[in-house]
Amino acid sequence: MCHHIISLSDQEQLVEKLEIFKFQGRDKNGHRVLRIVGKFLSARFLSVDALKNYLEENIFPRLKKKPFSVLYLHTQVQKNENFPGISALRSIYDVIPIDARDNLQAIYFLHPSLQAKLFLATFGRLHFGSRLYGKLRYIKRIDYLWDHIRRNEVKIPEFVCDHDEDLEGHQILDCGLESDHPRVCGAPFMDSPVTMYSTRCI
């Protein structure tokens, strides 16, 4: 998975710095939300071991006691660039504690591609089970996200906002009513190699 020689500790620090996994806010049912930024799960820089170590030390212990939901940002995930691969995802899934799996209430999947939907509908059921697949909630636009997650409690990276605006320019591809809610993005992210958050309002 990881093709560049980076020490395990440096990889874990990169996961922390990029805020790939971060608890932010709650959904409309009051469940704590774990936000995952798919774009930064780079197969070129992060090994499965680094991701597993980080999750086991920093995330999993906080998932065992109470119900929670996941917000997965699939924006700009490309198979050849930053998709870890099915074997890596399965390896990570296998180390998730049973209590944490039981406490998972929903997975809000923002900006799903057609390829991702087809993949999850076939291989996803096979590798992760129909129970987990049944918790998936596809969210095609940020405006629709606020129907499920409390507004102003989750920071949306700038590149996600930009992509959403691109989609807004192609409304013919959208189905359903558009929301006129204002949008909220967070503040810039420290010294990240990319500008993660926008100060614009959603």
Side-chain angles (χ1 to χ4, degrees):
M1 175 181 175
C2 182
H3 303 298
H4 291 251
I5 301 177
I6 305 176
S7 71
L8 204 60
S9 61
D10 285 344
Q11 291 179 55
E12 292 179 38
Q13 289 177 18
L14 183 61
V15 173
E16 178 73 22
K17 180 179 180 180
L18 293 177
E19 296 186 338
I20 297 175
F21 305 97
K22 188 174 181 64
F23 288 100
Q24 287 190 336
R26 296 180 180 274
D27 64 15
K28 289 295 182 69
N29 294 315
H31 303 137
R32 186 170 47 171
V33 172
L34 172 62
R35 189 201 66 186
I36 302 175
V37 184
K39 177 182 178 179
F40 298 138
L41 289 172
S42 176
R44 295 175 299 171
F45 298 104
L46 299 174
S47 66
V48 173
D49 288 339
L51 292 173
K52 288 165 61 174
N53 286 352
Y54 183 87
L55 289 168
E56 289 175 338
E57 294 175 6
N58 300 282
I59 302 298
F60 291 160
R62 303 172 63 181
L63 301 179
K64 296 180 180 181
K65 297 181 179 180
K66 295 182 179 180
F68 71 99
S69 295
V70 167
L71 169 58
Y72 172 71
L73 308 179
H74 189 66
T75 317
Q76 294 186 6
V77 173
Q78 303 293 330
K79 181 179 180 181
N80 296 327
E81 292 293 326
N82 48 17
F83 178 64
I86 186 62
S87 60
L89 293 178
R90 179 56 198 251
S91 177
I92 294 171
Y93 177 75
D94 285 342
V95 299
I96 299 177
I98 297 298
D99 290 345
R101 297 186 197 181
D102 291 340
N103 286 335
L104 175 60
Q105 303 300 304
I107 303 172
Y108 302 109
F109 195 115
L110 183 65
H111 294 155
S113 63
L114 177 60
Q115 182 183 29
K117 286 184 177 181
L118 292 174
F119 175 83
L120 291 171
T122 53
F123 295 100
R125 291 177 185 269
L126 176 65
H127 289 278
F128 305 111
S130 57
R131 183 181 179 187
L132 180 67
Y133 181 81
K135 297 179 181 182
L136 273 174
R137 305 290 183 268
Y138 292 119
I139 311 293
K140 56 189 173 183
R141 295 285 304 282
I142 293 175
D143 282 345
Y144 303 149
L145 181 63
W146 308 134
D147 293 334
H148 305 275
I149 292 179
R150 295 178 184 177
R151 182 180 303 278
N152 298 330
E153 294 189 5
V154 177
K155 292 180 179 178
I156 305 296
E158 182 179 21
F159 72 90
V160 178
C161 297
D162 290 341
H163 179 76
D164 206 70
E165 289 180 356
D166 290 340
L167 292 178
E168 188 174 356
H170 298 81
Q171 292 187 23
I172 190 172
L173 300 178
D174 252 343
C175 299
L177 298 175
E178 293 290 331
S179 170
D180 58 357
H181 293 309
R183 304 196 312 170
V184 178
C185 290
F189 178 79
M190 298 175 63
D191 57 347
S192 167
V194 294
T195 302
M196 283 190 63
Y197 301 114
S198 168
T199 55
R200 295 168 294 166
C201 287
I202 337 182

